[in-house]
Amino acid sequence: MSAAPPREIEIVDSHTAGEPTRVVVSGGPDLGEGALQHRLARLRDEHDDLRRGVIEEPRGSDILVGALLGPSADSTCAASVIFFNNAGYLNMCGHGAIGVAVTLAHLGRIGPGRHRLETPVGQVGFDYGGGSRVTIENVPCHRLLHSVTVDVPDYGFVTGDVAWGGNWFFLVGDHREQLLRSHVHRLTDVAWRIRRALEQGGITGAEGAPIDHIELFGPPQDPANDSRNFVLCPGGAYDRSPCGTGTSAKLACLLDDGELRPGQTWRQESILGTVFEATAEIRDGRIVPRITGDAYITGHGRLLFDPGDPFRQGVSETAR
């Protein structure tokens, strides 16, 4: 009897400001119909082997963000998308949405113009002008808690804001760190300690949601920019891009504090020195952010899942 052929999954890889995205184009499971939140639940509960196999070693790495394309219940949307990483599933992903937009153009599914994506937390509009540049209009963002102080073991007291930008963030400006690429191991350790202190202190997002992103801010290296950040993602890897949802959360804090006007551009620099340009407007009393960045296609091919491969579902590593 011949062996079963390997399962094939078509993927397109890209990076946005240095942060990679792997889009699953075809070969994924049938998640049925209905609300995207329900389809995400089916993916998580019944088909998590897709996430693990696509993202984890030996095919992926802990810095990779995945995006499963699917049909949208709203015919005006170019596609639906479910984002995931080595730790699980993401509500939204700003750099990933920019990567998905450029991927859809690469596949010939969209041309220049205004489009929308369906995400588990709502529709995200985007403007694609051709080439690498995309502007996404994120879901509304807001600050939940201002000037929250936590005692971080073996570090001291840290004060920050809890804000929503499509994911929950703790944004800290009063740390004692230098935001340099050469310091990423130290920054990762400090940010992880802060996250653990939030958990131990019972500090959460709305309705008890975990704060799974820690964002440290400091002065930019390039004076043309407004700020530099270091973002620790849920699985313990740091964001190479300026982080779209994190920049959205930052905009909410800046507008609340009167440090940024609606429509004023904020240039957010990443730990790599790449930049997102961001603005926000007030619409029906809600802060709506717009994030502009560049994504580049780095690969288009197939992943093979041999039934006899003991690591076909990935090699999981528990973060920290």
Side-chain angles (χ1 to χ4, degrees), residues 43-57:
L43 178 62
R44 181 189 61 229
D45 298 340
E46 302 173 21
H47 303 285
D48 195 53
D49 59 315
L50 173 80
R51 177 191 66 82
R52 300 196 310 270
V54 167
I55 290 296
E56 294 174 357
E57 297 178 6

Side-chain angles (χ1 to χ4, degrees):
M1 182 180 294
S2 60
R7 176 186 181 187
E8 296 185 4
I9 290 180
E10 182 186 5
I11 55 98
V12 174
D13 284 351
S14 65
H15 80 83
T16 306
E19 181 76 354
T21 306
R22 172 166 288 169
V23 177
V24 175
V25 177
S26 64
D30 182 1
L31 301 178
E33 300 179 351
L36 191 56
Q37 280 282 11
H38 296 158
R39 284 181 273 159
L40 186 157
R42 283 194 288 273
L43 178 62
R44 181 189 61 229
D45 298 340
E46 302 173 21
H47 303 285
D48 195 53
D49 59 315
L50 173 80
R51 177 191 66 82
R52 300 196 310 270
V54 167
I55 290 296
E56 294 174 357
E57 297 178 6
R59 299 177 189 85
S61 74
D62 62 356
I63 73 168
L64 191 59
V65 171
L68 175 63
L69 284 185
S72 174
D74 186 336
S75 61
T76 65
C77 290
S80 68
V81 60
I82 297 173
F83 293 107
F84 48 88
N85 64 7
N86 64 324
Y89 296 85
L90 300 169
N91 294 297
M92 229 302 275
C93 181
H95 95 267
I98 293 172
V100 166
V102 171
T103 294
L104 289 171
H106 168 76
L107 295 170
R109 297 189 184 183
I110 64 167
R114 176 74 169 170
H115 306 278
R116 290 191 294 175
L117 290 172
E118 182 186 2
T119 80
V121 290
Q123 292 185 4
V124 172
F126 67 92
D127 296 311
Y128 175 65
S132 64
R133 202 150 184 84
V134 176
T135 297
I136 65 167
E137 185 173 285
N138 198 7
V139 295
C141 55
H142 66 277
R143 180 165 64 187
L144 180 68
L145 300 171
H146 180 45
S147 294
V148 175
T149 300
V150 292
D151 187 2
V152 181
D154 300 320
Y155 190 75
F157 290 96
V158 171
T159 300
D161 293 346
V162 176
W164 168 261
N167 296 296
W168 284 107
F169 287 81
F170 190 63
L171 302 104
V172 181
D174 74 340
H175 53 81
R176 299 177 291 280
E177 306 304 316
Q178 290 183 293
L179 302 187
L180 301 174
R181 189 177 180 184
S182 58
H183 291 195
V184 294
H185 295 296
R186 163 75 178 179
L187 296 169
T188 297
D189 180 65
V190 169
W192 198 265
R193 289 173 184 266
I194 292 171
R195 178 174 171 180
R196 290 296 184 226
L198 292 169
E199 293 173 353
Q200 292 166 6
I203 300 167
T204 70
E207 300 179 351
I211 301 170
D212 54 8
H213 289 72
I214 306 299
E215 189 161 4
L216 308 181
F217 282 91
Q221 288 197 329
D222 184 341
N225 302 326
D226 295 291
S227 175
R228 186 176 180 89
N229 69 9
F230 172 86
V231 178
L232 186 69
C233 300
Y238 69 91
D239 198 327
R240 274 66 173 169
S241 83
C243 188
T245 54
T247 299
S248 298
K250 179 64 173 178
L251 292 179
C253 299
L254 290 168
L255 264 70
D256 279 359
D257 291 336
E259 298 181 19
L260 191 73
R261 302 183 308 275
Q264 181 181 352
T265 298
W266 178 266
R267 289 178 56 87
Q268 184 60 59
E269 182 182 280
S270 76
I271 197 70
L272 298 188
T274 54
V275 175
F276 283 163
E277 294 182 354
T279 62
E281 62 180 82
I282 309 299
R283 190 181 303 165
D284 297 326
R286 301 190 298 175
I287 298 171
V288 179
R290 289 173 60 84
I291 310 293
T292 299
D294 292 278
Y296 300 90
I297 301 298
T298 58
H300 184 176
R302 297 175 298 165
L303 300 179
L304 302 180
F305 295 76
D306 192 314
D309 180 358
F311 298 123
R312 66 185 179 278
Q313 294 182 357
V315 179
S316 178
E317 292 190 20
T318 302
R320 308 184 76 79

